[in-house]
Amino acid sequence: MPQPLKTAYTVENIYALPDGQRAELIDGQMYMMAPPNANHQKISWKLHQEIGNYISSKGGNCEVYAAPFAVFLNEDDINYVEPDISVICDINKMNEKGCNGAPDWIIEIVSPSSQQMDYGIKLFKYRTAKVREYWIVNPLKQTVTVYDFEYEKETKQYSFDDTISVCIYADLKINIANLLS
């Protein structure tokens, strides 16, 4: 897991990082981010494409963004995350810097160094920020954990071979294995 730096930081510190260096900020603690590997990027791109195509085909008003994309989770200056995929349905949350407030759906793709962050710190933060749905995609275990925060339904775990129903879109079903084949 990325280790937090010990000082209290703000979004200003994030923007002051050298080019190419990425970090997230949770409750004033900065967590440095390692660059994603090729498999991570492939999964992210395929999911982004699938969700974007679905929204376009339905004439929906939601927008899908892939990292790096700024999410000012609590609309303050001490919480800044870059989810792998963010779906935002309230366009009023958007400005030129990113999303101010909780996206409707967040997908994080786990790397060995981010597991504790994605399954622990971000899980709690996303739930309390009122994200409606949160997926944790684990390429090493080939699993997807789905949290439906909006209706507080049970957490479900799927394999990449399963067809997963999206909570915020009743008629969208995603099979990760099919996307990657």
Side-chain angles (χ1 to χ4, degrees):
M1 171 177 136
Q3 294 300 310
L5 302 176
K6 300 299 179 196
T7 311
Y9 292 95
T10 68
V11 172
E12 187 176 307
N13 298 110
I14 294 288
Y15 283 107
L17 290 171
D19 284 347
Q21 190 171 8
R22 293 177 50 214
E24 293 180 304
L25 191 63
I26 297 179
D27 296 329
Q29 294 297 306
M30 190 179 303
Y31 297 87
M32 305 311 288
M33 299 168 63
N37 65 30
N39 190 43
H40 178 284
Q41 290 298 85
K42 181 178 181 179
I43 293 168
S44 177
W45 182 76
K46 293 288 189 172
L47 282 167
H48 182 269
Q49 184 179 41
E50 183 78 3
I51 296 163
N53 288 344
Y54 169 82
I55 292 169
S56 292
S57 75
K58 297 294 183 179
N61 62 344
C62 300
E63 296 182 6
V64 59
Y65 295 92
F69 176 72
V71 174
F72 304 92
L73 200 55
N74 295 88
E75 299 182 70
D76 58 27
D77 69 344
I78 60 169
N79 288 285
Y80 168 95
V81 292
E82 292 183 3
D84 291 307
I85 297 177
S86 301
V87 177
I88 297 110
C89 298
D90 181 354
I91 304 310
N92 293 322
K93 291 183 179 181
M94 298 296 298
N95 68 21
E96 70 282 349
K97 290 188 176 184
C99 177
N100 293 292
D104 293 87
W105 180 15
I106 288 178
I107 300 174
E108 293 286 7
I109 302 164
V110 175
S111 65
S113 65
S114 73
Q115 287 190 47
Q116 188 174 1
M117 189 78 162
D118 294 334
Y119 285 105
I121 294 169
K122 286 184 178 179
L123 171 63
F124 174 78
K125 204 66 185 164
Y126 292 161
R127 179 188 299 267
T128 59
K130 306 268 189 252
V131 169
R132 294 170 57 199
E133 182 170 357
Y134 176 40
W135 285 22
I136 303 174
V137 177
N138 190 325
L140 294 175
K141 294 181 180 179
Q142 294 201 342
T143 60
V144 179
T145 307
V146 175
Y147 298 90
D148 180 354
F149 296 147
E150 183 173 29
Y151 297 106
E152 294 296 329
K153 292 187 178 174
E154 64 189 57
T155 300
K156 292 186 179 176
Q157 187 161 335
Y158 301 89
S159 78
F160 276 21
D161 293 319
D162 293 329
T163 299
I164 306 167
S165 294
V166 176
C167 303
I168 69 168
Y169 297 119
D171 61 341
L172 175 58
K173 297 176 184 347
I174 296 175
N175 180 294
I176 306 277
N178 287 349
L179 288 180
L180 300 177
S181 61

